[in-house]
Structure formats: structure tokens, C-alpha cells
Amino acid sequence: AVCKPTRDTMLAPAAMEVTIDGTVSTTLASVNAVHNPRARKLRSAVWQDFTKERRADGNCVAICNHCKKQLTATSRSGTTHLRNHLAICTTTSTRRAGKRRKLIVRRILHNKTSTGQPGDGHASGEDNDNDSTHFDQELSRQDLARMIVQHGYRFSIVDDLGFRKFVKNLQPQFSMVSYDIVRADSMAIYESERLKLQDVLLKTPCRVSMSVDMWRSSTQMDYLCLTCHYIDHSGDEWKLRKKILNFVHVEEHFTANQIANLILEKLQQWGIERKVASVVLDNCTSGDIVATELLRVMQPRRLLLLNGNLFHVRSCAHILNLTVEESLEQTSDIINRVREMIQNVKFSQERLQKFLDTAKLLQIDQKLLVLDSPNNWPSTYLMFDSACYYHDVLVRLAEQEANYAAFLTAKEWADVKALTEILDALNNTMEKFPVENPTANLYFNDMCEIQVLLNTWRNSPSPVVAQVAGRMLKKFEGYWDLTRPVMAFASILDPRYKMKSIEYFFQLIYGNDQFTAKATIEAIKQTFTSLCNEYEHSADSLKNPAVLFYAGNSSSCMSSVYNNGNDSKTFSRITLSDARRGLDQYIQESSSGQSFKSDLDLYLEEAVYRQKEGNQDNFDILGWWKSFAAKYPVLSQMARDILAIPVSIIPLDSEARVLNEYLSTMDPSTVEGLVCAQDWLRADTEVANSDGHADDKVPRGDELIVAPN
């Protein structure tokens, strides 16, 4: 029988080189030249490097033309192992040819997969390499532009000799494009992705929330970054999304009113001005004034929840930062004393050696002696913490240098330890805030705990603790009052807590004043109920009553089955849908005297949800509400809107909000296109990561925006 290739190669090992056992006779016979109408030609390009012959026992083998090695060539072995051999063939010229063919094969497999050809990209016994090597210049050009945008590479990479040589070896047919062309292609990607995102936002049935940040280039140009936060439930799961909508240049002399008008203009261009739930302006110039102007324009249009009472909020991290930074300004003397002491130890070689020797003598494990950065309170906490850790060492040094005034006195050490205790609790809370975009329910309990602790510290016997805690509490309550309603609502929508967290913490916060505690709890519940009523009214206005209830002129529900207005139906024309309409009307009539319970009533009456196993912090609240959307349709809509409000994000500090040198040299329209398009293409990178590929958190080029760890 004549050996012929087959398409069933997936049954053979995909990457196994099978050699012929040397103990078996290798006597070869030429392949029978008798015509066989079922035999197929060897059309794979791999046979240019192999000769197919048949042994005396009837089995076929493939002999490498370069090293004369024999490999199987049966009807089920395919050609993959032949290509693999070419890549490792001991002949130098063959190895180079094998590598080139390996690259071509990868391209073939990719084309088969992307175009949906039979075989899902796998090689077959009848390998049609010559028919599948079609190269698409335009597709490769778009891939190049997409890569540059996605990873933040320079446009001028297309002029780099090393990159051009790499591409030439990878695909000789590719004609490298110019700087201007790749820039135009990148802007085309931005425009295409912008239209896709706009379509998504317009079709999203829930509200969106916004955050505004001010950026600056190295050339001192200011930019406004407008970011949208929303719940995407288009797939199998509800996902919290964060998308940069605009990254627009603003003049340095822009007033708060002009910034507000610019934000409104961009919202209108996206078509989402009627869908905004809340806005975070933590890193926006004159944020309070901007919020007031936005409210002035949007309130009369009846576009906002609770007439705008939930519109302007602050993130938890920003509240803590403002509270601590403004309060520590009053303790600058003790901070400067600690800073001076550590500077004199770290930057004096002789004193540093004494410090290390003393630590070794006292058997204290080495730990970094931290010097803080001004205007960065977490680093000040680390400085205090490291100073307290080496307290015994520093006291011993002070005894050795009694005339040196840089070391702290006993009273100053007591104040430092007291302040460290306060900063430690606040820093632990800050460390809970994740870098990723979290839902709004996560940190209500933590913020309430901070308020309870500040109330306790305010009555401390330590004067410095009582003084600092009193100032912090005043600042904290001023900022927290603005955001507390939103976070309280998010806590109610957390089925693990409902009203329980609010009731528990407010009783602790107000202590003996239980009347105020109960009044505050009731006020939050009433406001939440009012918000539910708004959603119910909005839902009812969108419903078609004819879809839900079918009222007729007849007095009996059964007659409505047979009569539809003036048109009577014979028994033979009655359908199942007619009977179902009668059932709907019967339920309406028979239930009219029964009390009706809203979504909120049913939700609060049920016990809180308790996870059987695992960490409570890993609770998937969006998955829970997706599962119970049919049971609580109104509350689930509220959950999609409230949980997306970005009160739990970590705002970037001013040093992080600076464009890199490459972007700073570009015109504003190009900057906006690259920053936005890179953010929108991030989903592709996340998919690659989920497949075990590259980690997007590792910088690979001139990234446009890199959030600090």
C-alpha cells in the first residue's frame, strides 16, 4: 500500500521527534511508483528538507536531507515532528532554515486560529503551508500601532535600527511604516475605541460616577483627567469598570467655573450628563467650588439623586490624608526634633558606627532607620516607628554624648511614643485601601472605627495625645459628614451588615447621647427610603401597564379571557397567553386588599447574610446582587449605582500625577489620544495575564501613566 498523509494529526504527539530504532532493519525500498488514485502529493514545505522512502517492512520513513536522520512518516504521524527536527538539526545551515520555518509556522497557526479555518490552528497531516502563508500588511500595521499604544512605546521606535532588524528577520515581507503613519494609526485606534466605549456607556442602564484629577507635564502644562466608574453587567458577572474618558489640556489661569463648564461639556459629548450619580474632586483645583457650580447647573434639570445630596463626595483615603496632614502641622516641633536626631545619626559616619555597634551590643535586630519625606505623613509615621524601635540604642548614644542636643529628652520620647500609637492606627487603615478600584461598601466600618478611636484619644491623660486627637476629630467630622451618607447607603446594601453596622457604630460614636444616636440612625434610614422611592417611581414610569395587568370592561376575570375589547373570541381561538392574562388580572383583584411590602422592607426583614467559610473581606457583593436581582429589582438597581461611587479609591499624590518626558513633548490632542487609548486597551492586557502571559504591572516601555505602589 502507498503511504499517504492524513488530516488526523491531533492523535499524534504535537511536539515529539520520533526516531527509528536502530535495531530494526533500515533496509529501504523505493516507494512504489504504481499510480494510486487515492495517493496525495506531499504539499507541505517541510518535504523540501526531507525525502520520503518506504522500508522493506512496508513502513514509511522521512530522511533528513542534511543530517540523514530517519524519522517516522506513517499515515498518522503528520509533519509537526519534522519541523521540530529542522529547528534542532545539528547542521548549522539547517538550524537557521529551521528557525525561519518555525517563525513562518507560528504565523500560519495564528492565521488559522484567527480566521476560524478547520483545525483550530493545529497542523494537519496534509499540511497546506504553501496555501496558508498569506501575509497581511495592513493587519500587521494595525498590530504595530496597537502595541505602541498599549505599552506606551515611542512612535520613533519604528526608526530604531535594532527594532527594524528584528521585524525584518521576523517577517521579511513587512514594510516598515514611518513615524507619521504610526502616529496616525494610533489616533485612529483612539477614535475607534472611543466610539466603542461611548456605545457601551449609552447602553448601560445604570448610573455612572466621575472622578476628576489634575495632571501636569514636565513642561508645566496642566491637564484635566476625567474618569468614569460604573458597573458593567453585560457579561455573566457584574464587574466594576473604570475608564478614562478625557485627558484634556487646561490653561493655567482656568477658574473653577471654567473647569466645571469643561466637565459638563465633556459629559454632554459622551451623552451621559443625565446618568451621573456622584463626583469625586479630591485632586481637582478648587474642588468645592467646582462641585457647587456643577450642582447649580444640574440641579434644576432634576438629573441628580436626592436633588444632589449625594453628588459631591470625597474618597476615604483623601479624608484621612487631610485629617492627619492638617493636624500634624501643630506638632511640627516634635517632628523636626526626631528628624534632626535621625539625620545626625545617619549622616555622621562616626555616630552611625556607634549606633550599629550599640545595636549589636544590645542584641537588637537590624531594621531600617527611616528619615521621612516632608508633607508625607505615612513616612513620618515610619520615622517615628523606627525611632521607637531603636529607643534603647538612641538613649545609650545620648548618654555617651551628653552635651549633644540633637537627642530627645524623656518627655519628648513620651510624646513620640504617644503620637506613634495614633499614627499606627491611621496607617493600618490606609494600608487596607487597595490600589485597584473597589466597591463603595468596603470601608464604612473602618472609618467609623477611626471616629470611635479619635473620640477615645480625645480624653487621653496624655496632653499631646488629647490635643492632637481633638484637632483630628474636628477635621475628620468636617470631611466625613460629606461622604458618610453614601458610605452608609453602601453599607446598608451590603447583605452582611444591612442596618447593623450603622446601629452599632453610631451608638459607640455618640456614647451617652443615645437620643442623638437614634435620631441619626433614623435620619439615614429615612433618607435611604426616600432614595428607594425615587428608584421605584423611576422604574414605574418606564413600565407599560398593559404588559403587567390586563383590565377589561367585564366584571369577571374569566370573561376577559374570552373577550378583548369589542372583539369576541370563540373557544377555539383562545390561547395560553389569554389564560395567563386572566391569571394576572385575578391576582391583581384578589390581592388588592393585602398589604404590599417594598423591596427594602423585604430586604431588611431577612437576616443578614453570613458566609459559611472564608475571609469576610473576600465577599463578592456584586455577585450577590446579580444573583438576587430578580428578588430585589429596585434595590439591585440602587446597588449598581451606589457601589460604583469611587469613595474607596486611593487618589494619586501630586508627584505621581506628572506625565513622563516623552508625553510632555507632544501636542495636547496626541496626549489625550494616547492616554485614553492605552487605558481602554488595558482589558486586552488583562485577558493576556489571565492566560498566564505577561504581567502588566511590570513596566516594559515608556508607560503613559504608572500608578505608584
Side-chain angles (χ1 to χ4, degrees), residues 323 449-458 469 472-473 476:
T323 298
E449 288 172 2
I450 290 295
Q451 191 170 4
V452 171
L453 286 176
L454 291 176
N455 266 327
T456 304
W457 290 332
R458 184 177 55 175
M472 285 187 177
L473 182 61
F476 179 86

Side-chain angles (χ1 to χ4, degrees), residues 207-225:
R207 287 181 176 265
V208 300
S209 290
M210 313 302 300
S211 60
V212 181
D213 299 280
M214 299 304 297
W215 284 68
R216 174 162 289 190
S217 69
S218 60
T219 57
Q220 304 305 306
M221 290 181 63
D222 292 325
Y223 288 86
L224 183 145
C225 179

Side-chain angles (χ1 to χ4, degrees), residues 55-127:
R55 297 190 309 186
D57 58 3
N59 292 324
C60 295
V61 296
I63 303 176
C64 177
N65 295 339
H66 307 281
C67 66
K68 305 307 178 182
K69 192 169 187 177
Q70 298 181 23
L71 296 93
T72 59
T74 63
S75 61
R76 306 178 71 87
S77 59
T79 58
T80 301
H81 66 295
L82 303 182
R83 292 194 195 89
N84 293 341
H85 171 76
L86 289 178
I88 60 174
C89 185
T90 56
T91 305
T92 304
S93 60
T94 308
R95 189 182 302 135
R96 287 198 297 265
K99 289 181 179 180
R100 176 62 55 81
R101 289 191 178 91
K102 192 172 183 180
L103 293 174
I104 294 175
V105 168
R106 288 178 178 175
R107 184 75 179 185
I108 294 170
L109 296 180
H110 172 73
N111 288 341
K112 286 183 178 181
T113 304
S114 61
T115 56
Q117 293 183 6
D120 294 331
H122 296 283
S124 63
E126 181 189 42
D127 199 315

Side-chain angles (χ1 to χ4, degrees), residues 242-245 674-683 704:
K242 180 178 72 171
K243 301 290 184 181
I244 296 177
L245 301 187
L674 290 178
V675 171
C676 293
Q678 185 194 48
D679 180 72
W680 301 337
L681 294 178
R682 188 177 300 163
L704 307 182

